[in-house]
Amino acid sequence: LALDSQAAGLLFEQDDDDYLKIELVRHAGAEQLFVGAVREGWNATVHGFFPLALPRPVHLRVQRQGSQW
């Protein structure tokens, strides 16, 4: 991510009302990891913005075991 307000991420949809969003975001010259979820179509939960210092290139990997991500 080269410019502020740029983002790249993944969206995981369980069904029409439930999903998880994981995103790399550039804000104020720094990269952050954003994690948020929507449950039952309206209960949005922001799990947080976490500062990152990442080497290049950046790869996201998700693992699932049963119903756990």
Side-chain angles (χ1 to χ4, degrees):
L1 304 174
L3 303 172
D4 280 356
S5 300
Q6 284 186 321
L10 301 169
L11 181 67
F12 301 93
E13 182 180 4
Q14 177 178 320
D15 54 41
D16 288 344
D17 293 327
D18 300 280
Y19 59 90
L20 174 68
K21 182 177 184 179
I22 302 172
E23 202 170 43
L24 295 174
V25 179
R26 185 170 180 90
H27 176 72
E31 291 177 347
Q32 300 176 336
L33 180 69
F34 168 81
V35 179
V38 170
R39 295 179 189 231
E40 299 177 8
W42 63 275
N43 188 12
T45 302
V46 174
H47 297 282
F49 282 93
F50 306 97
L52 298 173
L54 299 173
R56 298 286 186 243
V58 174
H59 301 278
L60 295 177
R61 181 177 76 176
V62 176
Q63 292 182 314
R64 180 178 175 183
Q65 185 174 3
S67 63
Q68 299 294 314
W69 293 89

